[in-house]
Amino acid sequence: MTLKMKSTCSWLSILFLVLLPTSSSSPDAEPRHSLKRTQSSLLSSYDFIICGAGTTGLTIADRLSSAFPSKTVLVIEYGELEAAPGVFDPPTKEYTPLDFGAPRASSWDLVSLPSPALNNGTAFLKAGKAVGGSSAINGQFFDRASKHDFDDGWSPLQVSMTDRKVPIWDWKGMEPFYKKSVNYNPPGKDTVDKYGYTWDETAWNENSTSSKVQATMASFLWADHSLIRKAFQNMGIWLRRECMDGNKEGICWTPNAQDAMTGQRSFAGSAHYTEVVANRSNYHLLTGHQVTRVVFPQGLKDGGWGGEVPLVEVRGVGNQGTFNITAAGEVIISAGALHSPAILQRSGIGPKDFLQQLKIPVIVDLPGVGSNLQDHSGPTVEWNYSQPLNIHPMPPDMANSTFLSEAFAAWNQRPARGPYTIAMSMTSIWVPLANITANYTFILDKINDLVSLGDKLSTKPDPKTLESLTAALHLPPSYASSSTLLKGYLAQLSSISSLLANPKSPSLESAFTTGTTLTAVLNHPLSRGTVRLNPSSPLDLPILDYRSASNPIDLDMHLLHTQYLRRTIPALQFLFTDPEAFQSLGFPNNTLPFNLTVTETQPGQQIQSEDAILNWIRSSTVQSFMHPCCTNAMMPLEKGGVVDTHLRVHNAGGRLRVADASIFPLEPSSHLSSLCYAVGEKAADLIIKEWSE
Ligand SMILES: Cc1cc2nc3c(=O)[nH]c(=O)nc-3n(C[C@H](O)[C@H](O)[C@H](O)COP(=O)(O)OP(=O)(O)OC[C@H]3O[C@@H](n4cnc5c(N)ncnc54)[C@H](O)[C@@H]3O)c2cc1C
Ligand SMILES: *[C@@H]1O[C@H](CO)[C@@H](O)[C@H](O)[C@H]1NC(C)=O
Ligand SMILES: *[C@@H]1O[C@H](CO)[C@@H](O)[C@H](O)[C@H]1NC(C)=O
Ligand SMILES: *[C@@H]1O[C@H](CO)[C@@H](O)[C@H](O)[C@H]1NC(C)=O
Ligand SMILES: *[C@@H]1O[C@H](CO)[C@@H](O)[C@H](O)[C@H]1NC(C)=O
Ligand SMILES: *[C@@H]1O[C@H](CO)[C@@H](O)[C@H](O)[C@H]1NC(C)=O
Ligand SMILES: *[C@@H]1O[C@H](CO)[C@@H](O)[C@H](O)[C@H]1NC(C)=O
Ligand SMILES: *[C@@H]1O[C@H](CO)[C@@H](O)[C@H](O)[C@H]1NC(C)=O
Ligand SMILES: *[C@@H]1O[C@H](CO)[C@@H](O)[C@H](O)[C@H]1NC(C)=O
Ligand SMILES: *[C@@H]1O[C@H](CO)[C@@H](O)[C@H](O)[C@H]1NC(C)=O
Ligand SMILES: *[C@@H]1O[C@H](CO)[C@@H](O)[C@H](O)[C@H]1NC(C)=O
């Protein structure tokens, strides 16, 4: 249980110095020699080219450049090398974890088309546009998926008529990469004594020093944190000692992606680039360049499995100059769930009809490219207190100058301590549908009814059948031109049905750090959206059609989740009528706010009937918690998949892969960054094995 002392602070400060440009450190120790900004500074060819220096892409670049000192690796990134402040870092005085006006690395900002099922509301999204990708700007919440997401969800979807290999995307095949991908820093004794943090070392690779990605429990909690945890317990949700071992239904402690010593954000840009690149003359990074497309100059031979490696065409951001870069080994697209399908579509790899409309020559007809878009969504339950809680520390204490200067001093302690070590959240609940209501099987019945509609799907269905099935299954109209996409969706429904039937597999997430809100996040959405190039400017942001809640079963689940989560409010009220419960949380008797009432303000007490709650859900659901995924799904070709189990794009030569959140077939019941790191580790392992043979 010793705290690992890691001096990642030096690299982060060098990063700041480079940006400020007053570096006094030795040139060898800087990423500068590896950082390229122009065509002329590149080698004539690279063994591996990775498109996108994000969470997954940099993990792969780090591992490949380390495994193969004599092979060259180039990562191409649209954004720049930037400092990446944490969610709550000095000198910020207000704790507003979701304030995107706070200092952050650069981002892409996107708004979806309106979603008719949610009163034409739109999804608002950010995605990282800097070295480190979204890990440079995210909420630092660092949890893992449930093992059932893989065993009931991803793995069965990989089964095909032709490929009956041993499954590699089950929990057994994921756990080692989750472990390898991060170094867990157990909390110090002081914080364990204070907050009762628990964990299980065996869920972590206790000596995984091979990864510089750091997961750390915040050394500080706001005073109302324990109230909500207690209310959750009073609802009958059990406390888990550890949630990272594949079993996460219950109340979880969740670490931050954070350096234990400095308290600073740990992200792919530091952990897989600046901190490792010094001694890797074979690891190059080209920033300020957009991958426009990949090109197969000789076309594709042997049915698309001839081992051809595409050229990568890039465009300097700003000056518009375009050139090709040659890869000798392979090309890996890691531009994230929104941009990776755009790169493939620009390359002529995608839905044939759509590419033809845009007059893009079709290289591989893959209807799955840019289909299957999913995200986490949900409405937010809110309450108020009739009088001030009169407990401390709380975020308003940051306005107290003594408290603030203590917070600064604590941050500068080593290891860092105090409020500035907090990020977006520390606690979350993960609740299976069976725990939400005894009457949950009607959801399964509805899903299974949809699955049986699919029996109408013959091997060669006529277009009319496809069209009517697409409509009946509430899918994007583009599914009507592809029986394989429909088959894949039906297989996904079966997976989701198993997940929801499983009393250990969570359906609802809700996370908390402080305040008076709890969001009911839907883990396993049935609705599907699309990502498509903008026909009038294909190099710009793609067009997102979220179609949130287009499948009405998602609304049924939102309803159940809302009804369940609002029970937190009476559970919270109960604490203020029970001095013993209150005192057991460590608050002194004289601060007990007797007579305090907790009042639901959203949806609000007047909203009780199912129709009224559904109306409220339609108007208040946040459509994106910035977890877009699944737009180049890893599934067999016959199920409308885009990549195979080795992440190779189907029928595209075998030396073109995709690795990022776009390859997930289904949303996991977790936030996405730790899974992106694990997918990066697994992808690197597959590639290293292939090139070592
Ligand atoms: C605001 C926000 C908060 C989040 N909060 C959390 C959280 O608290 N916990 C959590 O686990 N997850 C969170 N997530 C989600 C998680 O961070 C992302 O899902 C994950 O990091 C995505 O990784 P990726 O490898 O798929 O892509 P990214 O990390 O996004 O990397 C893609 C990279 O490719 C680059 N790129 C794109 N197109 C091109 C092109 N054509 N040429 C060159 N480069 C290109 C981009 O600039 C980017 O750097 C959050 C996301 C956001 C945006
Ligand atoms: C959503 O927009 C469409 C198209 O503009 C319109 O026909 C429909 O009535 C709108 N729905 C709602 C609930 O506003
Ligand atoms: C820890 O490292 C040692 C030496 O490299 C290795 O033998 C051992 O298997 C590692 N332990 C775990 C749990 O990975
Ligand atoms: C689910 O219900 C069981 C039985 O009542 C209970 O023991 C368990 O704590 C519940 N789990 C969650 C996550 O609510
Ligand atoms: C780089 O190499 C030097 C000399 O071999 C060594 O002292 C240093 O620790 C290495 N740095 C890293 C980050 O591996
Ligand atoms: C890249 O290569 C392809 C195939 O040889 C060619 O058609 C294209 O014009 C090249 N692009 C640039 C910018 O040179
Ligand atoms: C709490 O909300 C209720 C219902 O909206 C409202 O009547 C009451 O005034 C609010 N109380 C406080 C202290 O804001
Ligand atoms: C301000 O903060 C200090 C240090 O935490 C505390 O002792 C003091 O009581 C606070 N003052 C007020 C007015 O809350
Ligand atoms: C189960 O719940 C749904 C949604 O709340 C409701 O429509 C249905 O009537 C319920 N069924 C039973 C048997 O209670
Ligand atoms: C606090 O209140 C509880 C319940 O009223 C009482 O039993 C206990 O003795 C009190 N403790 C102190 C220190 O006053
Ligand atoms: C609680 O409310 C009652 C009745 O309004 C009042 O007599 C009592 O003093 C209140 N207690 C506290 C601690 O405010």
Side-chain angles (χ1 to χ4, degrees), residues 268-351:
S270 57
H272 289 302
Y273 182 67
T274 49
E275 288 179 39
V276 300
V277 77
N279 291 2
R280 306 255 182 93
S281 57
N282 60 332
Y283 183 173
H284 289 184
L285 170 63
L286 175 68
T287 60
H289 283 75
Q290 179 185 28
V291 174
T292 57
R293 57 179 184 144
V294 297
V295 189
F296 293 94
Q298 260 70 58
L300 285 161
K301 298 180 289 285
D302 299 336
W305 287 105
E308 298 90 338
V309 188
L311 298 174
V312 178
E313 189 186 75
V314 301
R315 181 181 77 112
V317 174
N319 68 18
Q320 311 292 312
T322 302
F323 57 96
N324 284 329
I325 313 177
T326 312
E330 51 178 271
V331 172
I332 301 138
I333 299 180
S334 299
L338 307 176
H339 293 282
S340 287
I343 293 174
L344 287 177
Q345 288 170 15
R346 285 195 295 263
S347 309
I349 302 173

Side-chain angles (χ1 to χ4, degrees), residues 353-650:
D353 304 356
F354 177 72
L355 298 177
Q356 283 169 345
Q357 275 170 37
L358 268 69
K359 306 209 161 39
I360 296 173
V362 179
I363 306 298
V364 189
D365 176 19
L366 278 186
V369 174
S371 297
N372 199 40
L373 173 64
Q374 298 162 50
D375 203 333
H376 287 139
S377 65
T380 300
V381 166
E382 299 183 15
W383 63 91
N384 68 20
Y385 296 111
S386 60
Q387 45 177 296
L389 281 182
N390 194 29
I391 55 176
H392 298 277
M394 288 290 280
D397 290 324
M398 294 298 285
N400 166 343
S401 60
T402 314
F403 185 88
L404 183 66
S405 60
E406 285 171 3
F408 268 107
W411 171 255
N412 290 316
Q413 243 173 272
R414 292 293 174 264
R417 286 287 176 265
Y420 283 122
T421 65
I422 279 273
M424 189 184 74
S425 187
M426 299 309 297
T427 283
S428 53
I429 49 167
W430 300 87
V431 190
L433 212 48
N435 276 71
I436 284 171
T437 168
N439 164 27
Y440 72 99
T441 50
F442 82 96
I443 298 274
L444 305 180
D445 293 344
K446 284 190 179 184
I447 297 176
N448 296 335
D449 285 350
L450 292 186
V451 174
S452 53
L453 273 181
D455 295 343
K456 289 189 195 154
L457 197 64
S458 61
T459 338
K460 287 221 182 312
D462 71 65
K464 277 254 174 301
T465 324
L466 270 181
E467 213 171 293
S468 66
L469 271 174
T470 298
L473 293 167
H474 316 284
L475 290 166
S478 56
Y479 280 56
S481 54
S482 166
S483 59
T484 59
L485 270 184
L486 265 177
K487 274 192 196 130
Y489 180 71
L490 290 163
Q492 292 186 353
L493 286 181
S494 299
S495 277
I496 293 173
S497 171
S498 325
L499 285 167
L500 294 174
N502 184 334
K504 300 280 174 199
S505 158
S507 171
L508 164 74
E509 178 206 352
S510 194
F512 185 79
T513 277
T514 184
T516 55
T517 63
L518 283 169
T519 297
V521 178
L522 176 68
N523 279 329
H524 303 299
L526 270 62
S527 302
R528 295 292 178 266
T530 58
V531 178
R532 291 279 183 271
L533 293 177
N534 181 342
S536 59
S537 58
L539 288 175
D540 288 339
L541 291 175
I543 292 176
L544 311 182
D545 190 1
Y546 251 61
R547 304 181 77 262
S548 305
S550 50
N551 188 313
I553 301 174
D554 283 351
L555 286 170
D556 290 331
M557 288 192 281
H558 281 311
L559 173 66
L560 294 176
H561 290 175
T562 301
Q563 287 170 325
Y564 178 81
L565 196 61
R566 71 198 300 203
R567 282 162 48 191
T568 315
I569 292 162
L572 194 54
Q573 174 72 75
F574 177 73
L575 297 180
F576 295 98
T577 58
D578 178 6
E580 245 167 70
F582 200 82
Q583 207 198 0
S584 74
L585 300 173
F587 298 114
N589 272 13
N590 62 0
T591 63
L592 180 64
F594 283 115
N595 294 353
L596 178 145
T597 49
V598 190
T599 306
E600 183 183 294
T601 54
Q602 288 291 333
Q605 281 154 331
Q606 73 286 6
I607 301 204
Q608 294 297 340
S609 71
E610 286 185 3
D611 281 349
I613 301 172
L614 282 168
N615 273 336
W616 173 80
I617 287 168
R618 284 188 198 96
S619 65
S620 59
T621 289
V622 170
Q623 294 187 35
S624 170
F625 289 104
M626 320 236 180
H627 294 171
C629 74
C630 311
T631 49
N632 290 311
M634 173 177 61
M635 291 201 293
L637 195 55
E638 77 212 31
K639 291 183 186 165
V642 174
V643 299
D644 68 9
T645 54
H646 286 225
L647 307 183
R648 295 171 297 216
V649 176
H650 290 303

Side-chain angles (χ1 to χ4, degrees), residues 114 116 119-120:
N119 295 349
N120 285 337

Side-chain angles (χ1 to χ4, degrees), residues 42-60:
L42 299 177
L43 304 178
S44 59
S45 160
Y46 288 86
D47 292 299
F48 300 103
I49 299 181
I50 297 167
C51 308
T55 317
T56 319
L58 286 177
T59 306
I60 299 171

Side-chain angles (χ1 to χ4, degrees), residues 655-692:
R655 294 294 166 209
L656 175 65
R657 283 182 228 249
V658 183
D660 55 27
S662 72
I663 65 94
F664 304 178
L666 293 172
E667 273 285 15
S669 41
S670 71
H671 298 225
L672 305 192
S673 66
S674 74
L675 183 49
C676 286
Y677 285 123
V679 164
E681 296 286 3
K682 194 173 179 78
D685 187 70
L686 290 167
I687 297 167
I688 290 165
K689 281 189 181 132
E690 280 181 36
W691 288 95
S692 303

